[in-house]
Amino acid sequence: MNSNQSQTRTIAPIKSLRGEVSVPGDKSISHRSIMFGSLAEGTTRVSGFLMGEDNLSTWKAFESMGVTISQTGTEALEIKGVGLNGLQEPGDVLDCGNSGTTIRLMSGLLAGQNFFSVLTGDKYLRKRPMQRVVTPLAAMGAQIWGRDGGERAPLAIQGGALTPTTYASPVSSAQVKSAVLLAGLSVDGETTVTEPHLSRDHSERMLSCFGAEVRPFDGGVSLTGRPRLLAQEVVVPGDVSSAAFFMVAGLITPGAELLIRNVGINPTRSGIIDILVAMGGQMEMLDIREQSGEPVADILVRHSQLKGIEISGDMVPRAIDEFPVISVAAALAEGTTTIRDAEELRVKETDRIDAMVSELGKLGGLVEGRPDGMVITGVEQLNGGTVTSHGDHRIAMSLAVAALSARDSVTIEDVACTETSFPGFWALLGTFN
Ligand code: S3P
């Protein structure tokens, strides 16, 4: 592997993939550790924190609201919590960068804070839908405005008193669910959110560890407002969404045997493991344990002949960030893989259906887009070529995995975006070539 310029990477077919890797901390859990640590009383210590650009956006936003956050190690930090009512009005616009989790969760939190704030982000984030959080927050009495009638950032929020709500979310989205729950923290009473299928439950688990009363039930969750949150020690596991790139790399590379250490396997996130096993992947969960309320394991992956499967329904939110790399596995599997009910992929960092159809197509992959998914027919081997990330970190890394077993080198353009979730990705991949 060599780097032509900082924005472009050329990946040569890999010779072997044997050994061990550790991936950086979970992005979703890292965001929440700063948010809940800031709202707690006392000093929260976080280890395994992901120093990715998305999480640094959350870090800076809380510093702008008067929270002291200090780095105490390469992946460790301390947050001096200010309590539920201790945040201060930020003196400037809060820049959420590329991070949907930052802007949507903070909208919920700021709706109940007694001050004015403005949230914005990069050109990709400013295109993403925000009405999905604006609608339930407005129903709670929030004063919140955005471009396009509230659909696009920048969002301006005049925080104030909110009323309890029961919100039936039409989408299975942890960002929507968490935005409403965070607004519910300031409410005198119960806040309930239901969703079609269970989305990741890190907010529920972590809020509960910090002392909030959170009651999950079949189809939703309720939270009692105005809890007393108390500082915690948070140990962040490796991100299963980052591990997914190495899972698929291990499965598609002849002779590969790879141990991926310390991966979060929360059942609301582990759809990728179930999907790859259903495709015939040899994967073993070793030393399953619990850390800070989250299940964790080491995962052993061996080269396997994969076969096409159907993916739909409740499996979709359980693997929502992994479809770009699942499409790579499917492009090299025997038979056809059909992905349905996944229209949410169209409103991620980029339209991930269009992006994978076009980029895998350039490498000889047979991928057809559908309004709510993809139909992928496996080929024996992908070709070399030049592809682009569309500015999306997970597209860039998925294409890097596709390159590992291609006939010739693959050049990937616009790769700086991998810093949002996986700093060190290229160096780690490079250790195997
Ligand atoms: C996230 C929720 C998911 C996911 C994103 C992180 C979170 O988004 O795609 O990468 O941390 O809550 P949606 O809520 O839009 O599904």
Side-chain angles (χ1 to χ4, degrees):
M1 184 166 57
N2 62 67
S3 147
N4 300 336
Q5 11 163 317
S6 67
Q7 300 291 314
T8 299
R9 291 273 171 171
T10 297
I11 314 286
I14 203 163
K15 291 177 201 81
S16 96
L17 191 61
R18 296 181 77 84
E20 285 187 23
V21 285
S22 296
V23 295
D26 188 280
K27 182 156 74 73
S28 293
I29 298 176
S30 295
H31 281 300
R32 288 156 172 86
S33 70
I34 294 213
M35 294 180 185
F36 303 149
S38 297
L39 297 175
E41 294 166 30
T43 302
T44 287
R45 290 183 184 82
V46 187
S47 59
F49 184 83
L50 172 62
M51 299 285 173
E53 282 175 358
D54 273 12
N55 300 102
L56 299 182
S57 296
T58 296
W59 178 330
K60 276 186 227 136
F62 278 86
E63 279 184 338
S64 310
M65 295 188 290
V67 181
T68 305
I69 304 172
S70 342
Q71 186 162 356
T72 51
T74 43
E75 296 179 338
L77 44 90
E78 269 184 13
I79 305 156
K80 292 211 164 33
V82 295
L84 221 43
N85 303 313
L87 295 176
Q88 293 160 20
E89 182 172 89
D92 203 346
V93 170
L94 301 172
D95 185 356
C96 303
N98 190 244
S99 178
T101 305
T102 308
I103 197 164
R104 296 206 181 105
L105 270 60
M106 290 198 41
S107 305
L109 174 64
L110 294 172
Q113 297 288 324
N114 219 356
F115 54 70
F116 177 75
S117 53
V118 179
L119 297 161
T120 192
D122 69 10
K123 63 178 179 181
Y124 300 101
L125 192 61
R126 281 182 276 114
K127 280 192 204 140
R128 297 184 65 188
M130 295 297 148
Q131 198 72 59
R132 53 180 57 202
V133 290
V134 169
T135 298
L137 295 174
M140 295 173 84
Q143 297 192 68
I144 174 165
W145 303 268
R147 290 184 303 129
D148 278 357
E151 177 64 334
R152 315 263 171 225
L155 298 176
I157 302 170
Q158 176 54 60
L162 302 177
T163 50
T165 193
T166 294
Y167 183 61
S169 173
V171 280
S172 303
S173 157
Q175 291 177 358
V176 172
K177 173 173 64 177
S178 303
V180 177
L181 293 177
L182 278 162
L185 287 176
S186 67
V187 165
D188 195 9
E190 297 287 298
T191 297
T192 299
V193 189
T194 63
E195 52 184 346
H197 299 296
L198 181 62
S199 64
R200 65 190 65 191
D201 64 357
H202 303 302
S203 296
E204 295 91 306
R205 286 175 188 248
M206 202 186 286
L207 276 170
S208 191
C209 287
F210 274 79
E213 249 186 70
V214 183
R215 287 171 306 284
F217 59 87
D218 198 14
V221 59
S222 293
L223 166 97
T224 306
R226 302 204 185 158
R228 196 168 162 217
L229 301 178
L230 298 176
Q232 298 296 310
E233 305 276 328
V234 181
V235 183
V236 181
D239 197 324
V240 67
S241 299
S242 298
F245 302 112
F246 288 92
M247 291 178 202
V248 174
L251 294 175
I252 64 173
T253 307
E257 183 171 299
L258 198 58
L259 183 66
I260 313 170
R261 288 212 179 271
N262 188 39
V263 183
I265 54 162
N266 177 319
T268 61
R269 297 284 302 285
S270 60
I272 177 68
I273 298 167
D274 296 342
I275 287 168
L276 293 173
V277 167
M279 292 178 82
Q282 299 179 63
M283 301 177 68
E284 277 177 58
M285 300 299 115
L286 306 172
D287 190 15
I288 298 177
R289 55 221 187 248
E290 192 167 304
Q291 271 171 208
S292 302
E294 293 277 351
V296 177
D298 301 329
I299 305 179
L300 182 65
V301 183
R302 291 196 185 88
H303 173 241
S304 309
Q305 176 58 58
L306 300 178
K307 58 179 196 305
I309 59 166
E310 304 231 330
I311 306 167
S312 63
D314 62 357
M315 187 56 92
V316 172
R318 294 185 56 224
I320 192 65
D321 289 337
E322 283 64 75
F323 285 99
V325 79
I326 290 168
S327 70
V328 172
L332 292 164
E334 207 178 290
T336 300
T337 296
T338 306
I339 299 165
R340 272 194 276 270
D341 305 328
E343 53 281 325
E344 277 293 297
L345 297 179
R346 296 207 175 271
V347 291
K348 292 295 175 187
E349 285 81 334
T350 189
D351 179 331
R352 287 182 171 164
I353 296 175
D354 281 358
M356 291 316 286
V357 168
S358 112
E359 302 315 307
L360 282 177
K362 290 177 188 167
L363 303 179
L366 302 176
V367 189
E368 275 176 50
R370 296 276 189 269
D372 70 339
M374 287 177 260
V375 177
I376 304 158
T377 306
V379 295
E380 192 99 328
Q381 199 175 17
L382 292 168
N383 302 324
T386 298
V387 289
T388 173
S389 74
H390 298 240
D392 181 324
H393 53 131
R394 298 201 201 284
I395 303 290
M397 293 185 275
S398 300
L399 292 170
V401 172
L404 297 177
S405 62
R407 265 186 204 96
D408 293 304
S409 295
V410 175
T411 297
I412 310 169
E413 293 171 339
D414 198 4
V415 298
C417 51
T418 56
E419 291 296 309
T420 57
S421 68
F422 201 150
F425 172 76
W426 303 104
L428 187 55
L429 196 64
T431 60
F432 293 100
N433 239 347

